[in-house]
Amino acid sequence: MSKKPTFKEIALDGVLRQNPVLKLVLGTCPTLGLTTAAISGLGMGAAATFVLICSNILISLLRNVIPDKVRIPCFIVIIATFTTVVRGLLEAFLPDIYDVLGTFLPLIVVNCVILGRAESFASKNPVGSSALDGLFMGLGFTLALTLMGIVREVLGAGAIFGTALWNFKIEFFAKPAGAFFTYGLFIAVFTLVSNALEAKKSKKKAVVAETAEEGA
Amino acid sequence: MEGILGIIVAALFSQNFILVKFLGICPFLGVSKKTDSALSMGIAVTLVMVITCAVTYPIYVYILTPLGLQYLEIIVFILVIASLVQMMEMILKKFSPGLYSALGIYLPLVTTNCAILGVAELVIAAGKEAGTWAYTYGNAVLYGLFAGIGFTIAIVLLSGLREKTDKLNLPKCLKGFPITMIIACFMAMAFSVFSGL
């Protein structure tokens, strides 16, 4: 990495430009499995964010100690440790969330977002920016999951965060097929908007370059 | 439906790992551009699933439970799976170079496939819920085998459909992942018919 990434870059990358769910399409299993309701999406996001921040910090601290050849097994053991911690905490203090997350809770270990950030960011950057990267990547993940959860809960169950809104429901959105459909549409809309923004930006740049050229 | 037939139908269709349980979505999306590679991935996953079930079940029931170390299950399982995959790679390389080169890079990728850890966790969770060991050893291995075959069916079907949609003239924002998701949506609808069985 040529220069230390700034706070703004990390924040923007995590939440928008490199959004793990909508741009990189990583961590798809919990995204599809846990967005039938807003609360399960939020719970999964929070649990994954916790593991992501902790593992990023520890891996960044150990980045000069871990030999390159065995780094992946080391990363996995670190991630598995924090997943065990979060599982125990949720089981003890928030049993409702623990039940909602079910099998997807232990599966945080194999969530590619976390291993991906360990490999591409935490193993190369200092502790501070790794912790921030974990926080914002986690936020991006949580935001995407919660938004999808809200959409599917409002359309599929006529409720939001468990509170009933109206009697109208389209059961399709609560079913597995609805999960794939909603996710597909989310990526499509996200790509559409980011492409439009990109085009606007490059147009602006082109105009600036042109005026600069004319000035010269 | 009870017994072995029930387990087989559930693992193949009504509780299909990809389309109903959402496990193993990453390879489902990543390795489904061509039918050949999808089939290789499916075979690799099925092989590892069977062996994982065969190994993690006795470890949990006969080692972790008597010692009261159930909380270590995540760490133990992931280490067992990673070393199993590594070992299978070495064994295949030595004894069946043909299959080894056909599976290629798909075998190491299987380690971080949540379907594998998922199958181990589901067998254990079923045991916990029932209080007794709901799956006997034979049934656990059988479940692993047919869950793997169910995974293979889904991924091969999707790759066949994707080969066709690649040729379509689609709006730019739908290309790639979004259209794949929408195809998967229709497949999930088709598979949901089996849940009535």
Side-chain angles (χ1 to χ4, degrees):
Chain A
M1 201 150 283
S2 52
K3 68 180 177 68
K4 207 172 146 241
T6 62
F7 177 81
K8 200 181 151 198
E9 272 173 2
I10 294 177
L12 268 179
D13 270 355
V15 180
L16 291 173
R17 282 191 303 221
Q18 298 284 317
N19 186 295
V21 177
L22 298 171
K23 174 80 192 178
L24 305 177
V25 197
L26 293 174
T28 43
C29 303
T31 308
L32 290 164
L34 287 173
T35 48
T36 37
I39 189 70
S40 52
L42 190 63
M44 182 68 214
T49 308
F50 173 82
V51 177
L52 190 52
I53 296 174
C54 294
S55 65
N56 259 9
I57 291 176
L58 193 61
I59 287 165
S60 172
L61 280 172
L62 295 173
R63 70 184 187 282
N64 296 323
V65 183
I66 298 175
D68 205 40
K69 268 193 182 156
V70 290
R71 65 183 195 287
I72 303 282
C74 293
F75 294 166
I76 291 183
V77 173
I78 291 172
I79 297 168
T81 310
F82 286 115
T83 310
T84 310
V85 170
V86 83
R87 189 191 204 187
L89 286 175
L90 283 180
E91 193 173 9
F93 297 110
L94 294 166
D96 295 346
I97 301 280
Y98 178 82
D99 288 340
V100 168
L101 299 187
T103 16
F104 284 104
L105 194 52
L107 290 180
I108 294 178
V109 182
V110 280
N111 188 322
C112 358
V113 180
I114 298 175
L115 192 61
R117 291 328 284 173
E119 170 77 6
S120 67
F121 198 95
S123 59
K124 292 176 194 136
N125 286 286
V127 181
S129 22
S130 296
L132 277 179
D133 179 73
L135 174 66
F136 283 105
M137 277 288 159
L139 269 182
F141 184 71
T142 312
L143 261 178
L145 253 68
T146 314
L147 271 179
M148 266 177 75
I150 291 175
V151 168
R152 285 186 64 199
E153 196 179 354
V154 167
L155 292 173
I160 188 162
F161 284 102
T163 325
L165 292 173
W166 47 65
N167 257 336
F168 172 76
K169 43 182 118 160
I170 312 168
E171 271 185 20
F172 168 75
F173 284 96
K175 295 250 167 71
F180 285 109
F181 186 74
T182 318
Y183 195 7
L185 280 193
F186 260 71
I187 303 176
V189 171
F190 184 81
T191 323
L192 199 65
V193 172
S194 57
N195 280 355
L197 287 179
E198 199 85 337
K200 214 173 165 188
K201 218 182 199 174
S202 58
K203 213 174 180 183
K204 218 179 193 176
K205 243 183 210 160
V207 171
V208 172
E210 227 167 66
T211 44
E213 236 166 60
E214 273 170 19
Chain B
M1 271 194 295
E2 291 296 313
I4 291 173
L5 192 64
I7 293 179
I8 293 176
V9 174
L12 279 181
F13 300 115
S14 64
Q15 294 293 315
N16 186 285
F17 258 53
I18 292 180
L19 296 166
V20 180
K21 285 195 177 299
F22 306 117
L23 295 170
I25 303 289
C26 299
F28 180 63
L29 297 173
V31 201
S32 58
K33 284 207 179 87
K34 289 208 178 74
T35 318
D36 308 346
S37 47
L39 191 62
S40 302
M41 186 72 198
I43 295 170
V45 166
T46 311
L47 274 175
V48 179
M49 262 188 183
V50 174
I51 301 175
T52 302
C53 279
V55 174
T56 52
Y57 181 89
I59 286 182
Y60 190 83
V61 177
Y62 299 113
I63 299 179
L64 293 182
T65 310
L67 294 175
L69 291 174
Q70 288 98 328
Y71 66 91
L72 283 180
E73 103 189 43
I74 300 174
I75 301 178
V76 171
F77 281 11
I78 194 79
L79 285 177
V80 166
I81 292 168
S83 31
L84 274 177
V85 171
Q86 194 80 51
M87 226 161 67
M88 260 183 70
E89 225 184 318
M90 290 194 278
I91 294 173
L92 280 182
K93 202 174 180 180
K94 179 101 171 93
F95 293 106
S96 168
L99 188 59
Y100 176 76
S101 59
L103 296 180
I105 55 155
Y106 303 116
L107 207 51
L109 281 182
V110 168
T111 314
T112 50
N113 182 341
C114 40
I116 309 288
L117 189 59
V119 82
E121 288 286 339
L122 281 172
V123 168
I124 301 301
K128 270 185 201 161
E129 211 162 276
T132 54
W133 294 102
Y135 286 115
T136 62
Y137 185 63
N139 286 359
V141 177
L142 201 71
Y143 183 67
L145 173 67
F146 281 95
I149 297 176
F151 178 94
T152 312
I153 292 177
I155 195 170
V156 170
L157 282 178
L158 179 76
S159 63
L161 289 166
R162 271 185 82 173
E163 280 180 0
K164 300 273 182 235
T165 50
D166 274 352
K167 300 191 182 85
L168 293 177
N169 193 7
L170 288 165
K172 210 174 159 197
C173 66
L174 275 179
K175 275 207 173 123
F177 285 119
I179 190 69
T180 313
M181 290 288 183
I182 289 166
I183 300 170
C185 155
F186 291 121
M187 285 173 63
M189 271 198 241
F191 270 67
S192 72
V193 175
F194 293 110
S195 63
L197 282 178

